[in-house]
Amino acid sequence: MKRKILIYLKYSGLLILLVGLFAFARKRNDQRKISKVHVEFVEEQNPYVNELAVNKLLIQNQGRVTNVGKEILVLNTVEQELDSHKMIEHSDVYLTVSGELKARIKQRTPIARVDAVTSFYVDVTGGVMPLSDSYSAHVPLVQNVSEQEISEVFPLLKEIQKDEFFKKHVVSISQTTKGNYELRFRVYDFRIVVGEVENLKNKFRNFKAFYQKALRDQTLNGYKSVSLQFSNQVVCTIK
């Protein structure tokens, strides 16, 4: 009986010791100062927001992030501050065991630039984002379109973004009359009359078939406009 009591006391003492060591280590870890901030941009993107701007966001409402006790840093709050930035789509902020604060940043991706009194980008979701001080995106210029009309023209912008041929060649999109659009290519000076934003896949497919034939015939420089408005037809106006 004595032996059982001794064994029980032994294991109880060992358990208390382990709990104490764990609590001590955790307290020391919580009190450890954040020694370094590391910013990582996920995916290969142009720098619409730079590391300096992210660091400013990390510290603006938290005092100094470095040399601050970990227990007073609320990571969710830091993420919310980053996600509120108009150039950032999503962020993930976490602490390493060595006291390093890491922020993984996914930037928003612009697909067009709208020419307005105050110009702005349209991103892949159809949202409006401001121009960047760090980088100018090489995207098509949209003209004669207001911010209120972005949702109307967005399907056209998205289709251009998804189609490698049009993404490579289109430099501008203009609204000619209400709800009707035309495109301009980088090399050739003819207008591509899309008309209303409907049946875009079919219109683009028809144009590419025309383009390949005209390229072989070396007639592309002879056109003033190419209209895709009519069903399964490409109607050209010669200069």
Side-chain angles (χ1 to χ4, degrees), residues 73-124:
L73 182 67
V74 182
L75 296 183
N76 285 341
T77 302
V78 176
E79 285 184 354
Q80 288 170 9
E81 290 298 325
L82 290 174
D83 291 345
S84 67
H85 192 283
K86 292 183 178 180
M87 295 294 183
I88 295 175
E89 180 179 320
H90 177 72
S91 67
D92 182 24
V93 180
Y94 59 98
L95 288 165
T96 66
V97 293
S98 61
E100 184 177 9
L101 179 69
K102 290 195 174 184
R104 301 180 79 247
I105 304 296
K106 171 71 167 63
Q107 299 180 104
R108 295 173 69 185
T109 304
I111 61 172
R113 174 174 175 165
V114 178
D115 185 20
V117 176
T118 302
S119 296
F120 57 88
Y121 290 129
V122 178
D123 74 0
V124 291

Side-chain angles (χ1 to χ4, degrees), residues 40-203:
E40 175 190 358
F41 291 94
V42 300
E43 303 181 8
E44 289 190 13
Q45 294 181 290
N46 295 314
Y48 301 113
V49 57
N50 56 34
E51 188 170 343
L52 178 60
V54 174
N55 275 318
K56 285 182 179 179
L57 284 171
L58 285 170
I59 67 175
Q60 69 179 10
N61 289 327
Q62 297 296 329
R64 288 190 59 84
V65 171
T66 53
N67 296 323
V68 173
K70 286 200 239 180
E71 74 282 358
I72 67 171
L73 182 67
V74 182
L75 296 183
N76 285 341
T77 302
V78 176
E79 285 184 354
Q80 288 170 9
E81 290 298 325
L82 290 174
D83 291 345
S84 67
H85 192 283
K86 292 183 178 180
M87 295 294 183
I88 295 175
E89 180 179 320
H90 177 72
S91 67
D92 182 24
V93 180
Y94 59 98
L95 288 165
T96 66
V97 293
S98 61
E100 184 177 9
L101 179 69
K102 290 195 174 184
R104 301 180 79 247
I105 304 296
K106 171 71 167 63
Q107 299 180 104
R108 295 173 69 185
T109 304
I111 61 172
R113 174 174 175 165
V114 178
D115 185 20
V117 176
T118 302
S119 296
F120 57 88
Y121 290 129
V122 178
D123 74 0
V124 291
T125 68
V128 170
M129 59 184 286
L131 302 187
S132 170
D133 294 329
S134 303
Y135 188 84
S136 180
H138 300 295
V139 292
L141 183 67
V142 180
Q143 298 171 308
N144 302 325
V145 173
S146 67
E147 186 172 339
Q148 290 71 33
E149 295 171 311
I150 293 302
S151 59
E152 180 185 276
V153 71
F154 177 67
L156 176 58
L157 303 180
K158 188 68 174 177
E159 198 63 36
I160 292 170
Q161 169 72 12
K162 291 191 300 183
D163 189 295
E164 288 300 322
F165 175 82
F166 279 87
K167 183 179 178 181
K168 176 182 177 181
H169 289 288
V170 173
V171 292
S172 72
I173 301 102
S174 298
Q175 182 172 218
T176 52
T177 59
K178 178 63 178 175
N180 288 275
Y181 299 89
E182 66 178 33
L183 312 178
R184 289 280 187 174
F185 265 20
R186 190 177 308 278
V187 177
Y188 301 101
D189 62 357
F190 53 76
R191 298 177 295 112
I192 303 171
V193 182
V194 175
E196 295 182 350
V197 181
E198 58 183 18
N199 301 320
L200 293 176
K201 291 185 185 297
N202 189 51
K203 289 177 178 179

